[in-house]
Amino acid sequence: MLGEDYKVVKHNFLINAKSKYKYSLNELKLICHLIANILPTDTNLETKKVSMRDLNFIVADSNNYSKIGKELEDISSKLFKLPNGYIVNWFSCLKYENGFIEYSFDTRLKEFLLNLNSNFTSYYLTNVLNLKSAYSIRIFELLFQLKDKGYRTIFLNDLRECLGIPNSYSNKDIRRLIQNVQKDLQLHTTIQFEFTLVKKGKSFHKVEFIIKNNKKVKGVSYCLANNTTATIKP
């Protein structure tokens, strides 16, 4: 299994990217694993293979290969737009067979995944391996990006788009969602946070996060992001 020495390194555009699709926990863990499998010496996004045994899928699904196959198909249908206007998927090819996943990242993601020197976020893969929801992974990344700054303000509409929060979720539901993520990150990652839902008029308008070190989690280090912008940009 990819361990604590492996890092997920992503351009901050990919951290902040909005999508009309909601990714499942397994889908996000797979993406994180495969990004962590990129070597510092890689010059291109080549086709690679990884064993299913090396992936930390949620326990209930670890042997459910038909469900995992379906999730790979689902990932392939989820598109997002790059700053240069290209509409892409994470992968140009993705196949599950005989206990292995064969994959290649879309070559248009090269400048967002390879040889990054600025405007990127880097964290150890172990931070996300035990998280219990896709919301936890996304909020972890959004907050870790500005850990050095110590706070992040996210407009509620932006949070909905980044996390794929259903329109049916009320402000009360979103508060409960963030509280659950708060507990998850405190148990499993190197950061923790406090938050305040800020109103504009009678409606909640934005979320203010205070980001702190989590000294309760041992043995996992972090690398700070270079980006200093405190709100999500389109």
Side-chain angles (χ1 to χ4, degrees):
M1 177 182 292
L2 298 181
E4 64 182 24
D5 292 335
Y6 285 80
K7 287 184 178 180
V8 180
V9 184
K10 300 166 72 172
H11 191 282
N12 283 329
F13 170 79
L14 297 178
I15 298 289
N16 296 334
K18 300 175 185 178
S19 173
K20 64 179 181 179
Y21 303 104
K22 182 183 183 304
Y23 290 88
S24 72
L25 177 60
N26 279 348
E27 289 169 349
L28 288 183
K29 281 190 176 182
L30 176 65
I31 292 168
C32 290
H33 266 283
L34 300 187
I35 291 175
N37 206 30
I38 295 173
L39 301 176
T41 54
D42 285 350
T43 56
N44 288 295
L45 296 171
E46 299 176 351
T47 301
K48 297 185 178 183
K49 277 188 176 182
V50 63
S51 169
M52 278 294 303
R53 289 178 295 181
D54 291 337
L55 300 176
N56 190 43
F57 284 114
I58 57 178
V59 175
D61 294 331
S62 59
N63 294 313
N64 190 342
Y65 299 128
S66 62
K67 181 172 182 179
I68 291 170
K70 176 64 167 60
E71 289 196 279
L72 297 186
E73 291 180 11
D74 289 343
I75 292 177
S76 300
S77 68
K78 295 175 179 178
L79 305 176
F80 57 94
K81 191 174 183 178
L82 297 178
N84 57 18
Y86 283 112
I87 297 174
V88 301
N89 177 261
W90 280 97
F91 302 99
S92 58
C93 68
L94 188 62
K95 180 177 71 172
Y96 172 70
E97 189 174 54
N98 298 325
F100 286 86
I101 292 177
E102 184 175 346
Y103 67 95
S104 178
F105 286 104
D106 191 299
T107 56
R108 294 175 183 83
L109 294 177
K110 181 177 178 179
E111 63 183 289
F112 301 96
L113 294 174
L114 288 184
N115 303 315
L116 301 177
N117 297 312
S118 63
N119 199 26
F120 68 93
T121 297
S122 173
Y123 61 84
Y124 284 103
L125 178 64
T126 43
N127 274 289
V128 299
L129 291 184
N130 295 313
L131 293 178
K132 304 303 182 186
S133 76
Y135 295 131
S136 292
I137 293 179
R138 290 295 290 121
I139 289 181
F140 168 78
E141 290 187 332
L142 289 167
L143 298 187
F144 197 90
Q145 183 185 30
L146 292 184
K147 192 219 170 270
D148 192 31
K149 195 173 183 69
Y151 68 89
R152 181 161 198 162
T153 299
I154 305 178
F155 291 108
L156 205 55
N157 287 339
D158 288 336
L159 190 67
R160 284 182 180 272
E161 291 186 49
C162 280
L163 272 61
I165 298 173
N167 292 330
S168 59
Y169 272 41
S170 66
N171 288 333
K172 183 178 179 180
D173 294 326
I174 292 177
R175 182 188 292 276
R176 188 181 301 113
L177 182 160
I178 297 174
Q179 287 171 337
N180 289 336
V181 170
Q182 187 178 38
K183 295 174 185 176
D184 205 8
L185 266 59
Q186 187 173 23
L187 283 172
H188 299 118
T189 76
T190 56
I191 62 171
Q192 57 186 325
F193 67 88
E194 302 294 333
F195 73 97
T196 303
L197 281 165
V198 180
K199 284 187 174 181
K200 183 178 183 181
K202 296 183 179 181
S203 301
F204 287 117
H205 177 56
K206 60 185 177 181
V207 189
E208 294 180 346
F209 294 94
I210 302 299
I211 311 161
K212 305 175 183 179
N213 281 331
N214 186 8
K215 297 180 181 179
K216 294 181 180 179
V217 175
K218 305 295 183 181
V220 180
S221 302
Y222 56 84
C223 178
L224 302 179
N226 296 315
N227 186 288
T228 58
T229 304
T231 56
I232 296 174
K233 295 183 179 180

